[in-house]
Short mmCIF file of all heavy atoms in Angstrom, two decimals:
data_model
loop_
_atom_site.label_atom_id
_atom_site.label_comp_id
_atom_site.label_asym_id
_atom_site.label_seq_id
_atom_site.Cartn_x
_atom_site.Cartn_y
_atom_site.Cartn_z
N GLY A 134 184.54 60.43 97.88
CA GLY A 134 185.40 59.32 98.25
C GLY A 134 185.47 58.25 97.18
O GLY A 134 186.55 57.71 96.88
N GLN A 135 184.34 57.96 96.58
CA GLN A 135 184.32 56.93 95.53
C GLN A 135 185.17 57.34 94.33
O GLN A 135 185.88 56.51 93.75
CB GLN A 135 182.88 56.68 95.08
CG GLN A 135 182.03 55.95 96.10
CD GLN A 135 180.56 55.88 95.69
OE1 GLN A 135 180.06 56.76 94.98
NE2 GLN A 135 179.87 54.85 96.15
N SER A 136 185.10 58.61 93.97
CA SER A 136 185.89 59.09 92.83
C SER A 136 187.38 58.90 93.07
O SER A 136 188.11 58.39 92.22
CB SER A 136 185.57 60.57 92.59
OG SER A 136 186.42 61.12 91.60
N THR A 137 187.85 59.30 94.26
CA THR A 137 189.26 59.13 94.57
C THR A 137 189.61 57.66 94.74
O THR A 137 190.71 57.22 94.36
CB THR A 137 189.62 59.91 95.86
OG1 THR A 137 189.29 61.29 95.67
CG2 THR A 137 191.10 59.82 96.16
N GLY A 138 188.67 56.87 95.26
CA GLY A 138 188.90 55.42 95.37
C GLY A 138 189.07 54.77 94.03
O GLY A 138 189.94 53.89 93.83
N ASP A 139 188.24 55.16 93.05
CA ASP A 139 188.38 54.63 91.68
C ASP A 139 189.77 54.95 91.12
O ASP A 139 190.42 54.09 90.50
CB ASP A 139 187.31 55.24 90.77
CG ASP A 139 186.01 54.46 90.79
OD1 ASP A 139 186.06 53.23 91.00
OD2 ASP A 139 184.95 55.07 90.58
N ALA A 140 190.19 56.20 91.30
CA ALA A 140 191.50 56.61 90.79
C ALA A 140 192.62 55.83 91.45
O ALA A 140 193.61 55.44 90.80
CB ALA A 140 191.70 58.11 91.01
N THR A 141 192.48 55.56 92.75
CA THR A 141 193.49 54.79 93.48
C THR A 141 193.56 53.36 92.97
O THR A 141 194.65 52.81 92.74
CB THR A 141 193.17 54.79 94.99
OG1 THR A 141 193.08 56.15 95.45
CG2 THR A 141 194.25 54.06 95.78
N ARG A 142 192.40 52.73 92.79
CA ARG A 142 192.37 51.36 92.29
C ARG A 142 193.02 51.25 90.91
O ARG A 142 193.83 50.34 90.65
CB ARG A 142 190.92 50.85 92.23
CG ARG A 142 190.83 49.36 91.88
CD ARG A 142 189.40 48.89 91.70
NE ARG A 142 188.80 49.47 90.50
CZ ARG A 142 187.88 50.42 90.51
NH1 ARG A 142 187.46 50.91 91.67
NH2 ARG A 142 187.39 50.88 89.40
N GLN A 143 192.70 52.20 90.04
CA GLN A 143 193.28 52.17 88.70
C GLN A 143 194.79 52.35 88.74
O GLN A 143 195.53 51.69 88.01
CB GLN A 143 192.63 53.24 87.84
CG GLN A 143 191.16 52.98 87.52
CD GLN A 143 190.49 54.15 86.82
OE1 GLN A 143 191.15 54.97 86.18
NE2 GLN A 143 189.17 54.23 86.94
N TYR A 144 195.26 53.23 89.60
CA TYR A 144 196.70 53.45 89.75
C TYR A 144 197.38 52.17 90.23
O TYR A 144 198.40 51.74 89.68
CB TYR A 144 196.96 54.59 90.72
CG TYR A 144 198.42 54.73 91.11
CD1 TYR A 144 199.31 55.43 90.30
CD2 TYR A 144 198.90 54.12 92.27
CE1 TYR A 144 200.66 55.53 90.64
CE2 TYR A 144 200.24 54.23 92.63
CZ TYR A 144 201.10 54.93 91.81
OH TYR A 144 202.43 55.02 92.15
N LEU A 145 196.81 51.55 91.28
CA LEU A 145 197.44 50.36 91.85
C LEU A 145 197.43 49.19 90.87
O LEU A 145 198.37 48.40 90.83
CB LEU A 145 196.73 49.98 93.16
CG LEU A 145 196.93 50.97 94.31
CD1 LEU A 145 196.10 50.57 95.52
CD2 LEU A 145 198.41 51.06 94.69
N GLN A 146 196.38 49.10 90.07
CA GLN A 146 196.35 48.04 89.06
C GLN A 146 197.47 48.19 88.05
O GLN A 146 197.94 47.21 87.48
CB GLN A 146 194.99 48.05 88.35
CG GLN A 146 193.85 47.50 89.20
CD GLN A 146 192.49 47.66 88.53
OE1 GLN A 146 192.34 48.41 87.57
NE2 GLN A 146 191.49 46.96 89.04
N SER A 147 197.93 49.42 87.85
CA SER A 147 199.00 49.67 86.88
C SER A 147 200.40 49.44 87.46
O SER A 147 201.36 49.30 86.70
CB SER A 147 198.91 51.10 86.35
OG SER A 147 199.28 52.05 87.34
N VAL A 148 200.52 49.38 88.80
CA VAL A 148 201.86 49.26 89.39
C VAL A 148 202.05 47.98 90.22
O VAL A 148 203.19 47.60 90.49
CB VAL A 148 202.18 50.49 90.29
CG1 VAL A 148 202.17 51.76 89.45
CG2 VAL A 148 201.24 50.60 91.47
N LEU A 149 200.96 47.33 90.61
CA LEU A 149 201.08 46.13 91.42
C LEU A 149 201.01 44.87 90.56
O LEU A 149 200.41 44.87 89.48
CB LEU A 149 199.95 46.06 92.46
CG LEU A 149 199.94 47.12 93.57
CD1 LEU A 149 198.69 46.93 94.43
CD2 LEU A 149 201.20 47.05 94.41
N ALA A 155 198.07 46.72 98.20
CA ALA A 155 198.93 47.75 98.76
C ALA A 155 198.53 48.06 100.19
O ALA A 155 197.33 48.06 100.52
CB ALA A 155 198.84 49.02 97.92
N GLN A 156 199.51 48.32 101.04
CA GLN A 156 199.23 48.78 102.39
C GLN A 156 198.86 50.26 102.33
O GLN A 156 199.56 51.07 101.72
CB GLN A 156 200.44 48.59 103.29
CG GLN A 156 200.76 47.14 103.60
CD GLN A 156 201.85 47.01 104.64
OE1 GLN A 156 202.04 47.90 105.48
NE2 GLN A 156 202.57 45.89 104.62
N ILE A 157 197.75 50.61 102.98
CA ILE A 157 197.25 51.97 102.90
C ILE A 157 196.89 52.51 104.27
O ILE A 157 196.48 51.75 105.16
CB ILE A 157 196.02 52.03 101.96
CG1 ILE A 157 195.56 53.47 101.73
CG2 ILE A 157 194.87 51.20 102.49
CD1 ILE A 157 194.52 53.60 100.65
N PHE A 177 185.58 55.94 99.63
CA PHE A 177 186.92 55.63 99.12
C PHE A 177 187.22 54.14 99.24
O PHE A 177 187.63 53.49 98.26
CB PHE A 177 187.97 56.43 99.90
CG PHE A 177 189.38 56.04 99.56
CD1 PHE A 177 190.01 56.56 98.44
CD2 PHE A 177 190.07 55.15 100.37
CE1 PHE A 177 191.31 56.19 98.11
CE2 PHE A 177 191.37 54.78 100.06
CZ PHE A 177 191.98 55.29 98.93
N LEU A 178 187.01 53.57 100.43
CA LEU A 178 187.33 52.16 100.64
C LEU A 178 186.42 51.24 99.83
O LEU A 178 186.84 50.16 99.41
CB LEU A 178 187.24 51.82 102.13
CG LEU A 178 188.30 52.51 103.02
CD1 LEU A 178 188.05 52.18 104.48
CD2 LEU A 178 189.70 52.09 102.60
N LYS A 180 185.49 51.67 96.81
CA LYS A 180 186.03 51.54 95.46
C LYS A 180 187.48 51.05 95.43
O LYS A 180 187.89 50.33 94.53
CB LYS A 180 185.94 52.89 94.74
CG LYS A 180 184.51 53.34 94.47
CD LYS A 180 183.80 52.39 93.54
CE LYS A 180 182.40 52.88 93.17
NZ LYS A 180 181.72 51.99 92.21
N ALA A 181 188.26 51.47 96.42
CA ALA A 181 189.67 51.08 96.43
C ALA A 181 189.88 49.75 97.14
O ALA A 181 190.92 49.10 96.96
CB ALA A 181 190.52 52.15 97.12
N GLY A 182 188.90 49.34 97.91
CA GLY A 182 189.02 48.19 98.80
C GLY A 182 189.67 46.93 98.25
O GLY A 182 190.56 46.36 98.89
N SER A 184 191.93 46.42 96.29
CA SER A 184 193.37 46.50 96.00
C SER A 184 194.19 47.01 97.17
O SER A 184 195.38 47.25 97.04
CB SER A 184 193.61 47.42 94.78
OG SER A 184 193.05 48.70 95.01
N VAL A 185 193.55 47.16 98.35
CA VAL A 185 194.28 47.72 99.49
C VAL A 185 194.04 46.95 100.78
O VAL A 185 193.01 46.29 100.94
CB VAL A 185 193.90 49.20 99.73
CG1 VAL A 185 194.16 50.04 98.50
CG2 VAL A 185 192.45 49.34 100.19
N GLN A 214 202.24 52.04 101.49
CA GLN A 214 202.50 52.48 100.11
C GLN A 214 201.59 53.62 99.66
O GLN A 214 201.93 54.34 98.72
CB GLN A 214 202.31 51.29 99.15
CG GLN A 214 203.29 50.16 99.38
CD GLN A 214 202.76 48.84 98.83
OE1 GLN A 214 201.99 48.14 99.47
NE2 GLN A 214 203.18 48.52 97.60
N VAL A 215 200.43 53.75 100.32
CA VAL A 215 199.45 54.76 99.90
C VAL A 215 198.89 55.47 101.14
O VAL A 215 198.57 54.83 102.14
CB VAL A 215 198.28 54.13 99.11
CG1 VAL A 215 197.25 55.19 98.74
CG2 VAL A 215 198.79 53.42 97.87
N ILE A 216 198.78 56.79 101.05
CA ILE A 216 198.06 57.58 102.06
C ILE A 216 196.84 58.18 101.38
O ILE A 216 196.95 58.83 100.34
CB ILE A 216 198.92 58.73 102.62
CG1 ILE A 216 200.28 58.22 103.13
CG2 ILE A 216 198.17 59.47 103.73
CD1 ILE A 216 200.22 57.31 104.32
N PHE A 217 195.67 57.97 101.99
CA PHE A 217 194.45 58.64 101.52
C PHE A 217 194.09 59.70 102.54
O PHE A 217 193.97 59.42 103.74
CB PHE A 217 193.29 57.67 101.37
CG PHE A 217 191.95 58.37 101.25
CD1 PHE A 217 191.64 59.11 100.13
CD2 PHE A 217 191.01 58.30 102.29
CE1 PHE A 217 190.41 59.78 100.03
CE2 PHE A 217 189.78 58.96 102.20
CZ PHE A 217 189.49 59.70 101.06
N ALA A 218 193.89 60.93 102.08
CA ALA A 218 193.50 62.04 102.95
C ALA A 218 192.12 62.54 102.54
O ALA A 218 191.87 62.78 101.35
CB ALA A 218 194.52 63.17 102.88
N VAL A 241 202.72 57.04 97.76
CA VAL A 241 201.93 58.01 97.00
C VAL A 241 200.74 58.47 97.84
O VAL A 241 200.33 57.79 98.79
CB VAL A 241 201.43 57.43 95.65
CG1 VAL A 241 202.60 57.18 94.71
CG2 VAL A 241 200.63 56.15 95.87
N VAL A 242 200.20 59.61 97.47
CA VAL A 242 199.08 60.20 98.21
C VAL A 242 197.91 60.42 97.25
O VAL A 242 198.10 60.85 96.11
CB VAL A 242 199.48 61.54 98.86
CG1 VAL A 242 198.27 62.22 99.52
CG2 VAL A 242 200.60 61.33 99.88
N PHE A 243 196.70 60.12 97.74
CA PHE A 243 195.45 60.43 97.05
C PHE A 243 194.59 61.22 98.02
O PHE A 243 194.63 60.95 99.23
CB PHE A 243 194.73 59.14 96.62
CG PHE A 243 195.41 58.40 95.52
CD1 PHE A 243 196.48 57.56 95.79
CD2 PHE A 243 194.98 58.53 94.20
CE1 PHE A 243 197.11 56.87 94.77
CE2 PHE A 243 195.60 57.85 93.18
CZ PHE A 243 196.68 57.01 93.46
N GLY A 244 193.82 62.17 97.52
CA GLY A 244 193.08 63.02 98.45
C GLY A 244 191.76 63.53 97.93
O GLY A 244 191.29 63.17 96.84
N GLN A 263 198.88 61.86 93.54
CA GLN A 263 198.47 61.28 92.26
C GLN A 263 197.11 61.77 91.78
O GLN A 263 196.90 61.92 90.58
CB GLN A 263 198.44 59.74 92.39
CG GLN A 263 199.77 59.12 92.76
CD GLN A 263 200.85 59.40 91.73
OE1 GLN A 263 200.63 59.24 90.53
NE2 GLN A 263 202.02 59.81 92.19
N ALA A 264 196.19 62.00 92.70
CA ALA A 264 194.85 62.44 92.29
C ALA A 264 194.11 63.04 93.48
O ALA A 264 194.33 62.63 94.63
CB ALA A 264 194.05 61.28 91.70
N VAL A 265 193.24 64.00 93.20
CA VAL A 265 192.29 64.51 94.19
C VAL A 265 190.94 64.67 93.51
O VAL A 265 190.87 64.89 92.30
CB VAL A 265 192.72 65.87 94.79
CG1 VAL A 265 194.02 65.76 95.56
CG2 VAL A 265 192.81 66.95 93.72
N THR A 266 189.89 64.53 94.29
CA THR A 266 188.56 64.86 93.78
C THR A 266 188.18 66.22 94.35
O THR A 266 188.13 66.40 95.57
CB THR A 266 187.53 63.81 94.16
OG1 THR A 266 187.93 62.54 93.62
CG2 THR A 266 186.17 64.17 93.58
N LEU A 300 187.32 65.22 89.23
CA LEU A 300 188.52 64.43 89.50
C LEU A 300 189.70 65.07 88.77
O LEU A 300 189.64 65.31 87.56
CB LEU A 300 188.35 62.99 89.02
CG LEU A 300 189.57 62.08 89.21
CD1 LEU A 300 189.87 61.87 90.69
CD2 LEU A 300 189.37 60.74 88.50
N THR A 302 193.85 64.54 88.11
CA THR A 302 194.89 63.53 88.21
C THR A 302 196.21 64.01 87.64
O THR A 302 196.26 64.89 86.77
CB THR A 302 194.49 62.24 87.45
OG1 THR A 302 194.48 62.51 86.04
CG2 THR A 302 193.11 61.74 87.87
N GLN A 304 197.98 62.35 85.75
CA GLN A 304 198.05 61.89 84.36
C GLN A 304 197.43 62.86 83.36
O GLN A 304 197.59 62.72 82.16
CB GLN A 304 197.37 60.51 84.22
CG GLN A 304 198.15 59.36 84.84
CD GLN A 304 198.18 59.41 86.36
OE1 GLN A 304 197.19 59.80 86.98
NE2 GLN A 304 199.31 59.03 86.95
#
Side-chain angles (χ1 to χ4, degrees):
Q135 289 173 331
S136 173
T137 303
D139 273 330
T141 304
R142 187 185 69 253
Q143 292 172 24
Y144 170 84
L145 292 175
Q146 287 174 345
S147 71
V148 299
L149 294 176
Q156 291 188 26
I157 187 170
F177 173 82
L178 293 176
K180 294 296 184 178
S184 57
V185 302
Q214 297 158 276
V215 178
I216 307 294
F217 165 69
V241 293
V242 175
F243 290 81
Q263 300 299 313
V265 296
T266 301
L300 178 66
T302 69
Q304 288 70 36

